[in-house]
Amino acid sequence: MTPVRDTTAGRRIVVCVGSGGVGKTTVAAAIALDRALAGGRVLVCTIDPARRLANALGLTSLGNVESRVPDHKFAEAGLRAKGELHAMMLDVKRTWDDLVARHAPDPARRERILKNRLYQQMSSALAGSQEYMAMEKLYELATDRDYDLIVLDTPPTAHALDFLDAPDRILDFLGNDAARVLLAPAIGAGKLGLRLAQLGGGYVAKTLARFTGQAALSDLGDFLQGFQGMYEGFKDRAGAVRALLSRPEVGFVLVTSPSPISIDEAMAFHERLHAESMPVAGLVANRVTPDLWPGAAPLPSPEDLASPLGERGGNDRGFARRLAETLAEHQMLAAAERRALERLFEAVSAPYAVVPRLESDVHDLRGLARLAERL
Amino acid sequence: MVTGKGGVGKSTVSAALAVLAARAGKRVLVCEVNARERIAPLLGAPPAGAQIREARPGLFTLNVTPPDAMREYGIMVLKFRTIYDAVFENRLVRHFLRVIPSLAELVMLGKILFEAKSEERGRPRWDVVIVDAPATGHAVQLLRVPSALLDTVPAGPLRGDAEWMQALLLDPARTALAIVTLPEEMPVNEAIDLDAQVRSELGVPRAALFVNAMPEARFTHEEEARLESLAGEPPPLGPAAAAARLQALRAEQAQRYLARARAALDLPTTVLPLLPVAEWGAAAVERIADAIAAAPPEPAP
């Protein structure tokens, strides 16, 4: 049974979401590889892949460069791709710069923004910046390129929902009318401090300057002025991205580990996608402890293991005891995870795949192909 | 300051350190930073929210959030509540404050460090303040705020605050940064990157590495060699051997990543056991506290 594979099969865009550390990148790469093996021309866009996974995909640098995974990488893994697999690592700063360049009315304005201290901070440090740029890049790739499938891995946010909230938060920042009103008398003069001092009615602005410092206010004023007139373009674009994400050719794949925290995140995310009519293609429970003792029979005691162990090359009591303990611990964990996941599967009406914790980290194409078979 | 990649057990380690300090008769405050509150529930107490609350004798918790920290800090800076209310409770201003980069971090860090240096009747109010800091990138953002302000802000109250905050953060007699990680690839990579950033940019005194959830080496090499074929046996031996084999493989991988972390980080290290518990709660935290007490962070031999 491969439920998630089936429901993602017809889509043109797959977005993998979930909290940090659940294996989103690996699942994204596996979905992409699977379609490439079947004959599709596929791109996987990752954010911060583990080094060995990056190597497996032939990713050596940032810089938004789409590079094709070479045939010999497939051959080494004993695979033959009927299609093509391309991979790319998102460069947040460059995506921002490109976006500014696209919307700036003239080169002077572009330079002014790119040189602003606050802009430089924002493109790397403002919360939501990475998420916003991931969506922006996705839109660009989806409209300008002719891939059969684009798989987007999303940034490792503390809260998965940040991904959907990011554009609004950044737009709120760029189009902050309150800031414009408060800074309006100062904007244009360049010498904010002077202007603030001159404002008879600038009681509010003066108090704020006492609080934040005037340099910060000047930077902000300069920055917002630079963006004046560009905001509409940004807003339209964000609207288009949102519309794209609601199309049926898009499928969100929720990735979770069996930990309660990550399950809660997945449920919250699902609720949100549902509320916004964004299409959920499936659910992947990753790194699940496999059930090695199915059924209701009691777990074996050390004595139960001693005699078959004796027949198979010798028994020592310590070994039998440790085997029994290890199985018992293993099963306790498996049962706790199953209970937690059942809650999720009941709440989320989407096809789901349960991927057992594999014996080693997935870090090559062969491992990805095996993972895909379990989706 | 306790930080590390998301999901590695920062809150558990923070709670365990707090339990240890409280056991030693100290007055402890544990601060979470704008988080889904976990510390108090981990200790079996109701969530504290934005008000400091005693979770157990001598152990207090607090969840620092931007709006509450902003209000407290604002009133402190402006001296007069009426001015704060007139200006900051203005809807327009509140909207504006949300978009000033780093302001949220500044007021949250300010609140925490203010608690750290506050006094009651001539004595420090807290013996220890433990910060369950946000995950790596956000923790760096938080700890970078004072130095960023010192770089950009001219003289004034804000600069004065940034100065004492930075002095406190950089003082090895008063501040220590602990990194928490798991013996797995991504968390170890992130711990190494974080440590490099702490050294080159932040300068906050590095104190300890906690490698959490370390599976024990339970089987000898000879036993491990037998497990592979035994795993093919019918129940009950087969499944028991299969479970043992998975455990042994995990333990072996974990050893490799532990060695990598130790070699790259050069920090006093405590290795915490992987606990076979289904639900995390006060009992598990006590066990982690015991493990830290039994083997406090020590430099590599």
Side-chain angles (χ1 to χ4, degrees), chain A residues 123-173:
Chain A
S123 48
S124 58
L126 189 65
S129 175
Q130 233 186 2
E131 291 85 348
Y132 183 29
M133 286 306 107
M135 283 199 197
E136 165 61 28
K137 195 71 203 171
L138 175 68
Y139 183 80
E140 188 198 316
L141 292 166
T143 39
D144 296 358
R145 309 284 202 281
D146 59 346
Y147 290 108
D148 299 319
L149 170 68
I150 299 171
V151 185
L152 178 70
D153 165 33
T154 54
T157 47
H159 305 297
L161 281 173
D162 289 353
F163 180 68
L164 288 179
D165 291 332
D168 285 345
R169 200 177 308 150
I170 307 270
L171 285 172
D172 182 41
F173 174 69

Side-chain angles (χ1 to χ4, degrees), chain A residues 125 172 212 322 332 359, chain B residues 98 141 158 218 223 253 276:
Chain A
D172 182 41
T212 64
R322 277 174 287 130
M332 182 187 67
E359 288 180 6
Chain B
R98 278 221 317 271
Q141 243 168 294
L158 198 61
R218 192 174 284 178
E223 286 168 348
Q253 278 163 19

Side-chain angles (χ1 to χ4, degrees), chain B residues 157-190:
Chain B
L158 198 61
R159 188 180 175 89
D161 283 322
E163 271 165 2
W164 72 255
M165 281 167 136
Q166 184 71 347
L168 175 51
L169 277 181
L170 299 193
D171 181 359
R174 292 184 290 171
T175 302
L177 181 101
I179 297 178
V180 185
T181 190
L182 295 175
E184 293 171 15
E185 181 179 6
M186 292 297 273
V188 167
N189 286 347
E190 205 166 303

Side-chain angles (χ1 to χ4, degrees), chain A residues 25-63:
Chain A
T25 310
T26 317
V27 169
I31 290 172
L33 171 69
D34 196 44
R35 184 81 73 87
L37 289 175
R41 195 163 169 273
V42 185
L43 173 71
V44 55
C45 178
T46 79
I47 310 294
D48 183 21
R51 233 156 282 170
R52 290 187 302 166
L53 181 64
N55 289 342
L57 295 172
L59 285 169
T60 48
S61 67
L62 279 164

